[in-house]
Amino acid sequence: MLKNETYIKVKGGKALKGNIKISGSKNSILALIPAMCLGDGVGVLTNAPLISDVEAMKGILGEIGIQLNCESNSVRIEGNIIYNELSKQYVSKIRASNLFLGVLLAKFGKAVVPLSGGDKIGNRPIDIHLYVFDKFGIKTKVVDGFVKCEATQFPYKGQNIFLRFPSVGATENAMLVASAADSETIIYNAAMEPEIVDLAILLNSMGTRISGAGTPVIRIKTSDSKLVRTSHEVIPDRLEAGTFLFMLAVTKGRGIIKNVIPEHVISVTSILADSGVDIKIEDSNIFIDATNCELSPIHVEALPFPGFPTDLQPIATVYSSHCIGMSIIKDTIHTERFNHLYELSRMGMVHTNIATNIIIEGIQNLAGASLEGTDIRMAVSLVMAALIAEGESKIYGLNHILRGYDNFVKKLMGLGAEVSVIDKDTIETIVQKKCI
Ligand code: EPU
């Protein structure tokens, strides 16, 4: 565990140059691991990111009787679920732990799971998840921070379910629960994120019959066969790719972002190209060159996929401070995700924040400062601001970054950034270990 006083020291003003290979997706693997729990036998997830959220998953699996082991960028899962209750110890660390409601319900028709944790980015209710369970005739109640669920009939019948909002987690939970129903389920207004498609591919390889993932209507047919774990390659992390694309662009750098599925980051590459950055796409490589660019302002609205991802909103905010003119950033997905603004003000960034809109007039000269990131994306956005600020910055909150970015500091160093981690022994131990 990192000490609180660990920070990233950043000397600003250097253009990032070089190539980086994007790791497997955090948000995908956090759904794929629970899904693996539905099967028997040995399962392997390759292209697994080396992040501490996987460590939290390992703790959760341990509590229900399943073993998870990391071996050089792959995760091996074996054993059978023997308990249907979880404690707060690991569940409280990550939001995706609420998917164990779906897993345990599909296995036992009964589940007790504490309310999940995760990033402090505002209120994150689970009413849509509970609505889904209710549709299957599963009774739910929250008692002292624990969600207690029990099916009135098990196995339950498949259902037609309309989600009032295409929630990623609720769509995933609906798919997990529906995999154990005794007739077809149709999810309308389903989330279309690439992580949903990745989950469907894994579940189908294990024996489910899911179609339509990646569209607003997902069908889950019944399957008589027992689910069997398989080997599956985790998709590349589109949010990590987007982060580094913005970083290379804002520092007026150039390089190649490798191992990307370009359609997954089209909202980012399109915004950067419109802003004047030279972007070329060849297969799974994105070539970016911002060396001679005057960046035009951006208009960004965070929306469900294929819209611009809310997770890159803080990063786009920092980018806009180096565009010439007025940029507008809007986030109606996480309507309270604006903590970065307070810290960025301490670097001298001037902005107007009205409801879910941020207005930034650039170009602004930021000055190095001591700042603290309190969630993954906010902490990374502060590092990005430090890269363009004059002088030296100290960015606290590395523990948040390591929840979701594999080898973040090493990758930045590889791009020539003047960054170092104070409390070096700790970080080196962390980046060298194959499973934290
Ligand atoms: N919402 C509800 N009720 C619900 C569920 C969601 O009102 O029952 C609201 C949320 O409060 C939020 C919006 O719907 O305002 C989107 O939530 P969603 O359920 O789609 O998000 P999630 O499944 O909790 C995942 C990612 C987040 C990412 C969101 C949106 C994982 C583990 N997390 O969360 O990722 O922001 O989708 O794309 O997959 C991150 O990686 O930094 C991160 C926070």
Side-chain angles (χ1 to χ4, degrees):
M1 195 66 186
L2 281 177
K3 289 188 216 147
N4 282 341
E5 60 268 30
T6 301
Y7 63 86
I8 307 181
K9 188 164 87 177
V10 185
K11 189 150 181 280
K14 199 161 172 207
L16 300 189
K17 291 200 173 119
N19 309 333
I20 63 160
K21 183 171 178 274
I22 295 304
S23 300
S25 159
K26 163 182 95 77
N27 289 345
S28 239
I29 199 164
L30 295 182
L32 298 172
I33 292 173
M36 279 280 194
C37 296
L38 291 176
D40 293 334
V42 177
V44 178
L45 294 170
T46 57
N47 194 36
L50 177 56
I51 52 174
S52 61
D53 272 9
V54 170
E55 182 196 17
M57 275 288 172
K58 180 179 171 142
I60 294 174
L61 264 55
E63 284 191 11
I64 53 175
I66 295 187
Q67 298 87 51
L68 182 155
N69 291 300
C70 299
E71 305 155 352
S72 64
N73 286 100
S74 70
V75 164
R76 184 183 161 94
I77 294 163
E78 55 197 313
N80 293 316
I81 306 188
I82 45 176
Y83 300 109
N84 65 352
E85 292 192 19
L86 285 168
S87 80
K88 288 183 182 162
Q89 189 180 359
Y90 300 104
V91 166
S92 61
K93 293 180 193 288
I94 51 173
R95 168 82 175 173
S97 50
N98 60 31
L99 298 181
F100 285 92
L101 285 166
V103 168
L104 298 174
L105 283 167
K107 272 280 180 190
F108 303 108
K110 248 176 135 172
V112 180
V113 176
L115 286 165
S116 54
D119 282 323
K120 306 281 176 283
I121 51 177
N123 186 25
R124 296 176 80 182
I126 58 162
D127 59 297
I128 308 175
H129 301 246
L130 301 186
Y131 172 81
V132 167
F133 301 150
D134 182 65
K135 282 280 165 190
F136 285 100
I138 295 161
K139 298 282 168 227
T140 62
K141 61 180 174 184
V142 180
V143 182
D144 193 22
F146 284 77
V147 188
K148 300 189 172 188
C149 307
E150 186 162 1
T152 46
Q153 179 193 335
F154 188 68
Y156 33 75
K157 291 194 183 321
Q159 298 295 329
N160 286 352
I161 303 171
F162 171 78
L163 305 182
R164 70 165 172 83
F165 176 85
S167 153
V168 175
T171 302
E172 292 167 344
N173 249 333
M175 291 161 72
L176 295 169
V177 172
S179 69
D182 66 5
S183 51
E184 185 183 40
T185 293
I186 307 179
I187 310 166
Y188 295 93
N189 199 26
M192 298 192 284
E193 269 67 4
E195 294 76 28
I196 301 286
V197 180
D198 208 21
L199 175 62
I201 292 171
L202 170 69
L203 283 170
N204 281 346
S205 75
M206 289 169 62
T208 62
R209 295 193 296 150
I210 300 174
S211 59
T215 77
V217 182
I218 300 179
R219 289 185 149 76
I220 301 112
K221 291 206 163 80
T222 53
S223 164
D224 292 335
S225 53
K226 277 186 102 178
L227 301 186
V228 179
R229 295 185 186 119
T230 52
S231 183
H232 176 86
E233 185 177 337
V234 182
I235 54 169
D237 197 308
R238 63 193 168 98
L239 302 167
E240 188 195 17
T243 300
F244 281 109
L245 282 166
F246 273 116
M247 282 187 174
L248 282 157
V250 82
T251 60
K252 305 281 176 81
R254 74 176 130 79
I256 312 173
I257 309 288
K258 299 180 167 187
N259 190 37
V260 189
I261 298 176
E263 305 88 76
H264 291 180
V265 288
I266 193 76
S267 60
V268 176
T269 49
S270 164
I271 281 168
L272 288 175
D274 291 347
S275 177
V277 179
D278 190 16
I279 301 273
K280 285 193 182 60
I281 296 168
E282 270 177 34
D283 306 322
S284 61
N285 298 322
I286 301 180
F287 296 76
I288 174 165
D289 189 347
T291 41
N292 295 313
C293 289
E294 294 212 321
L295 304 176
S296 306
I298 56 172
H299 286 187
V300 167
E301 182 169 356
L303 288 169
F305 188 84
F308 185 85
T310 167
D311 301 326
L312 294 180
Q313 177 264 105
I315 287 145
T317 303
V318 173
Y319 177 82
S320 65
S321 71
H322 265 219
C323 298
I324 305 171
M326 191 175 75
S327 293
I328 302 175
I329 319 265
K330 189 178 170 83
D331 192 343
T332 48
I333 304 288
H334 293 305
T335 51
E336 296 167 55
R337 189 177 221 168
F338 297 110
N339 290 338
H340 51 297
L341 295 177
Y342 175 75
E343 291 297 285
L344 291 170
S345 308
R346 288 155 42 82
M347 279 189 156
M349 198 183 89
V350 181
H351 65 271
T352 308
N353 180 201
I354 304 168
T356 54
N357 297 293
I358 311 166
I359 301 165
I360 291 156
E361 188 84 42
I363 293 179
Q364 301 194 18
N365 294 319
L366 306 183
S370 277
L371 306 175
E372 184 176 4
T374 51
D375 69 73
I376 305 175
R377 312 298 170 187
M378 173 193 181
V380 167
S381 76
L382 300 182
V383 172
M384 177 166 154
L387 290 172
I388 50 172
E390 205 181 309
E392 203 171 276
S393 296
K394 291 179 180 177
I395 309 297
Y396 293 83
L398 180 58
N399 52 326
H400 294 289
I401 296 177
L402 296 177
R403 284 189 49 203
Y405 285 81
D406 181 334
N407 271 326
F408 179 71
V409 177
K410 266 196 172 174
K411 282 178 180 165
L412 269 182
M413 286 173 175
L415 292 170
E418 289 191 51
V419 289
S420 53
V421 172
I422 305 306
D423 195 7
K424 208 161 178 288
D425 288 347
T426 314
I427 184 64
E428 280 182 355
T429 316
I430 282 172
V431 294
Q432 276 161 20
K433 273 191 182 175
K434 286 301 169 201
C435 194
I436 306 161

